[in-house]
Amino acid sequence: MDEKELEGLRKTMRAEFPEEFQFNNRMKEKVKNEIRKDNGMAPKKKSILGPAFSAVFVLGALALFIFIGGQELGFIGENNASYNEMFTYEPTEEISEINKEFKIPTKFPFEVTDSFASTPPTQNQKGNRYTIDFVSSNGQQLTLKVTSNEVIYSDELEREEVTSGDFTGEYVVNENNVQILTWDDDNNHYSLGYMSENQESSLTKEDLINVAKSAK
């Protein structure tokens, strides 16, 4: 077959195969795109939602970081927050005498309208023991028990260790729904219990801790 006959054959093939069926550059690109689609490699269109979702993610992460950090530092949550106003307490002459040996709270989450002390039986213990009641006009009461003797609790209540700054104690709610905070200071043991005649009145764990921390 000479050159002229070969050229004629090429023209005939192009005529029999329309442009859209020929394997030209445009067809090559079309096939490449189909292959990319099958392989999950199709050219990606830029989404206008991408930056928005990224911004939301960053703000959410930042908010979570601030919340967790606030809890650790006591700005958020239950570490140091007090949910009730604190009132200054001036001890009576009787309680001032006890204050010479034991620390007495000076801040309370309610206004103390009366306070009185009693001396429970020592049961052959050498150290002194006192029970001091601080009451309000609306039936709220905090009872402080102090002793220089070692105290070992025999009940099966599960006590929670609580800390706030330099303060460390144990918190528990007993079977009578009395909130109790206990701690040791200068070889003396302290127990602070809260109860109220008004069920709508309540204290937080942090309120009890702040009362304990105000003792001096």
Side-chain angles (χ1 to χ4, degrees):
M1 183 180 294
D2 58 21
E3 187 66 23
K4 289 183 179 181
E5 290 175 337
L6 184 59
E7 181 63 24
L9 180 61
R10 290 173 179 166
K11 289 180 180 180
T12 301
M13 291 178 65
R14 282 197 291 268
E16 292 177 356
F17 290 88
E19 174 71 17
E20 61 267 27
F21 290 102
Q22 294 183 33
F23 202 79
N24 52 24
N25 290 334
R26 187 172 64 182
M27 190 64 181
K28 289 180 181 178
E29 287 299 319
K30 185 175 180 181
V31 173
K32 287 180 181 179
N33 288 336
E34 290 298 324
I35 294 173
R36 291 194 188 101
K37 287 182 181 178
D38 291 342
N39 294 332
M41 297 173 59
K44 296 182 180 178
K45 295 182 179 179
K46 188 178 252 185
S47 173
I48 60 174
L49 296 178
F53 282 123
S54 297
V56 170
F57 177 78
V58 171
L59 290 175
L62 181 61
L64 181 62
F65 174 79
I66 293 174
F67 179 79
I68 294 175
Q71 285 187 319
E72 293 297 323
L73 294 174
F75 303 134
I76 300 173
E78 299 186 346
N79 286 344
N80 291 319
S82 176
Y83 299 98
N84 289 288
E85 180 183 358
M86 301 298 285
F87 296 85
T88 301
Y89 167 74
E90 294 293 338
T92 63
E93 183 176 347
E94 177 189 25
I95 294 175
S96 293
E97 287 298 314
I98 300 174
N99 199 190
K100 294 177 180 179
E101 182 179 359
F102 299 97
K103 293 182 179 180
I104 302 296
T106 59
K107 299 287 185 181
F108 287 83
F110 53 78
E111 188 173 2
V112 176
T113 56
D114 196 9
S115 58
F116 45 89
S118 60
T119 305
T122 59
Q123 298 179 348
N124 298 323
Q125 294 180 342
K126 296 180 180 180
N128 291 327
R129 298 176 60 194
Y130 298 98
T131 297
I132 308 172
D133 293 301
F134 306 91
V135 298
S136 71
S137 58
N138 65 350
Q140 290 179 286
Q141 178 176 323
L142 273 168
T143 298
L144 178 68
K145 297 181 180 181
V146 296
T147 180
S148 56
N149 295 306
E150 181 183 7
V151 176
I152 299 176
Y153 293 99
S154 58
D155 57 58
E156 297 181 355
L157 296 176
E158 185 175 348
R159 290 173 165 77
E160 173 191 355
E161 182 176 314
V162 293
T163 59
S164 177
D166 296 332
F167 176 85
T168 299
E170 291 184 335
Y171 174 82
V172 68
V173 179
N174 69 11
E175 63 277 4
N176 296 318
N177 205 34
V178 177
Q179 298 169 262
I180 302 172
L181 179 68
T182 60
W183 71 98
D184 294 303
D185 190 357
D186 291 339
N187 296 319
N188 293 324
H189 184 76
Y190 296 79
S191 174
L192 184 67
Y194 173 76
M195 62 190 73
S196 176
E197 295 176 0
N198 183 0
Q199 294 183 353
E200 295 182 359
S201 300
S202 62
L203 297 185
T204 66
K205 185 191 312 179
E206 292 70 35
D207 289 322
L208 292 179
I209 292 173
N210 286 334
V211 173
K213 290 174 64 175
S214 74
K216 58 184 181 180

